[in-house]
Amino acid sequence: MKTFNIYLSVILASILFFSCSDSSPVDSNNNKPDASSKYVIAASPTALEDVADYLLTTESLTEGTVSTLDSGVEQDGTYRYYVTNNNKYFSLLYGQGNPGAVTTYQLNNSGELEELSDFQSETVQAFTSVEDDVLMMKIPRSTNDPTAYWYRLDTKNSQFVDEGQIDVVKLANNGEGAYFSWMTQVGDQVWAPFSTITGSGNNRFSTKYPDQARIAVYSYPEMKLQKVIKDDRTSFIGRYFTKGLSVDEKGDVYAFSSAVAMDDDQKMISSKPSAVTRIREGTTEFDQGYFFDLEEASEGYYVTNHFYTSNGNFLVMMRDLNKKAPWTAGHHLAIINVYDKSFTWVKDLPDAKDIIRVTKMNSYISEDGQTIHTGITTKDGSHVYAIDVNSATATKGLEVKGGIITSINKIDPVE
């Protein structure tokens, strides 16, 4: 088995860790957390290209101003991605073929981000919080080297405590290689949707099997394959580096397909619509009685990303079908309800043609699930918008000067 070769540095870094407090409540209107909690906003400076993000902290998402020009914690390297677990904030560097890194922060009792550890790691293409761990996956793009590697980071002590391998050609079982779009904890398991890719030619992400939805089900923490769940009513679930599954309060799993399977020339070749399907709690089969056609509901758009709020409601990012592309995120926002299959465009947002970026990776959802705060950057600047789920109405809030908002999270200080 391939060795991760970072255990010693991680162990040395782990002595810097301190214990963390439990999450503190927010007020009923969700305008501000209690005085000690902070939102962490990752923003890429707009003045320069290919520069590192800044991490900015604020007590409110609905008012005020923060800036990358004179504040924040600068990250080391571009293409950073973020996840929180155990009240710690993890910044992961995507190395684009080079080694990556994991930097860990906590909020000290002075309300400032404090670096706990910073160590080199593998560059990974999928990661998620599972119990007290951050599970990460390094995924091959070639069938000539068909081994994916997973790594389990214990967030309590910042140590990699386990690792393993997955043969993606064997998993695909069709002559191509399985490529995981993301991973999601479902009960005590990890579900990993995947497309299958040729791994060769002009487009390594091309496929001869565009109309297949597949989910690999793994036990946890052993990561032993239990089953592959299959459905041919949609194309693959999720997109590259984009979550495709969410679990509601009932334990039901909803799967989102963008229908962006490609041939060798990057031509869209799926014959299936962009849609939502469902797997009932306690089962490992798609519910054949449930199908939510998002192209039909939106009258000509496909989904590129989603955030679950509560009670069957999702904020979805949509894009014109006539502009379908494999990597581009949509700038049209809507609220859908997967229970009654309703679809409502969000009002009072900037015009989609003026939007440069909508936060893709992390948006902050209120504890009651009624409001979702997402970052929107236009040529006129960047703001956090509070979207009321019930009315599908947006209100402009915090301004982020000099930066494109890439992530919004919340953490509490240590005691």
Side-chain angles (χ1 to χ4, degrees), residues 113-383:
L113 283 178
E114 176 182 336
E115 183 179 307
L116 298 175
S117 65
D118 185 14
F119 53 86
Q120 191 175 61
S121 70
E122 296 279 7
T123 286
V124 296
Q125 290 77 29
F127 58 89
T128 193
S129 289
V130 184
E131 298 176 355
D132 289 329
D133 301 332
V134 174
L135 177 66
M136 298 184 284
M137 185 86 73
K138 181 178 177 64
I139 312 165
R141 300 182 183 182
S142 172
T143 53
N144 293 327
D145 182 12
T147 304
Y149 298 89
W150 58 264
Y151 309 99
R152 188 161 65 87
L153 174 67
D154 185 333
T155 62
K156 291 181 179 179
N157 53 26
S158 193
Q159 292 187 34
F160 282 93
V161 295
D162 202 0
E163 62 180 55
Q165 302 176 2
I166 296 171
D167 186 324
V168 296
V169 172
K170 181 179 180 181
L171 177 62
N173 196 32
N174 62 5
E176 298 187 342
Y179 198 93
F180 301 105
S181 58
W182 208 246
M183 301 176 290
T184 299
Q185 181 176 353
V186 179
D188 59 358
Q189 299 173 325
V190 170
W191 290 19
F194 62 89
S195 60
T196 66
I197 62 174
T198 60
S200 61
N202 296 326
N203 176 18
R204 291 180 180 271
F205 288 95
S206 66
T207 182
K208 297 178 181 178
Y209 303 94
D211 295 331
Q212 296 181 348
R214 301 290 185 264
I215 305 171
V217 177
Y218 292 96
S219 64
Y220 198 81
E222 303 85 3
M223 289 295 288
K224 300 297 184 182
L225 181 66
Q226 306 296 296
K227 181 179 183 178
V228 176
I229 308 174
K230 303 178 180 180
D231 196 355
D232 295 333
R233 294 175 299 162
T234 71
S235 185
F236 62 86
I237 297 161
R239 299 189 310 149
Y240 175 76
F241 229 96
T242 303
K243 181 178 178 179
L245 298 178
S246 284
V247 186
D248 73 356
E249 298 89 338
K250 304 174 184 178
D252 294 341
V253 179
Y254 288 88
F256 287 71
S257 174
S258 299
V260 289
M262 301 176 285
D263 65 12
D264 199 44
D265 296 319
Q266 293 197 24
K267 179 182 177 182
M268 300 291 99
I269 57 173
S270 176
S271 65
K272 307 298 183 180
S274 176
V276 185
T277 49
R278 179 174 67 189
I279 301 171
R280 288 288 197 183
E281 189 275 334
T283 71
T284 52
E285 297 289 344
F286 280 91
D287 180 353
Q288 296 299 310
Y290 183 90
F291 191 84
F292 186 5
D293 188 330
L294 294 178
E295 294 183 11
E296 180 180 48
S298 64
E299 299 182 347
Y301 292 77
Y302 70 101
V303 67
T304 66
N305 199 18
H306 74 274
F307 297 97
Y308 184 63
T309 60
S310 65
N311 299 316
N313 293 309
F314 289 82
L315 174 69
V316 291
M317 298 163 61
M318 308 290 292
R319 196 162 191 261
D320 193 323
L321 278 174
N322 296 322
K323 300 178 180 179
K324 183 178 281 192
W327 324 116
T328 309
H331 293 165
H332 298 265
L333 274 60
I335 298 295
I336 67 170
N337 186 283
V338 293
Y339 299 163
D340 61 18
K341 298 182 181 179
S342 60
F343 186 101
T344 308
W345 293 111
V346 177
K347 300 179 288 294
D348 298 336
L349 287 172
D351 193 298
K353 70 177 184 298
D354 297 325
I355 294 176
I356 297 171
R357 176 79 64 86
V358 178
T359 300
K360 173 186 173 183
M361 185 62 67
N362 300 307
S363 289
Y364 178 73
I365 300 165
S366 63
E367 290 189 356
D368 61 8
Q370 300 303 303
T371 307
I372 179 168
H373 299 264
T374 194
I376 296 179
T377 301
T378 70
K379 59 184 178 182
D380 296 322
S382 294
H383 291 82

Side-chain angles (χ1 to χ4, degrees), residues 19-24 34-38 87 106-112 410-415:
S19 61
C20 296
S21 64
D22 294 332
S23 297
S24 301
D34 62 84
S36 57
S37 301
K38 291 288 183 70
N87 201 37
Q106 69 180 11
L107 192 68
N108 63 30
N109 54 21
S110 298
E112 298 176 344
K410 184 180 83 73
I411 57 174
D412 301 308
V414 296
E415 293 182 345

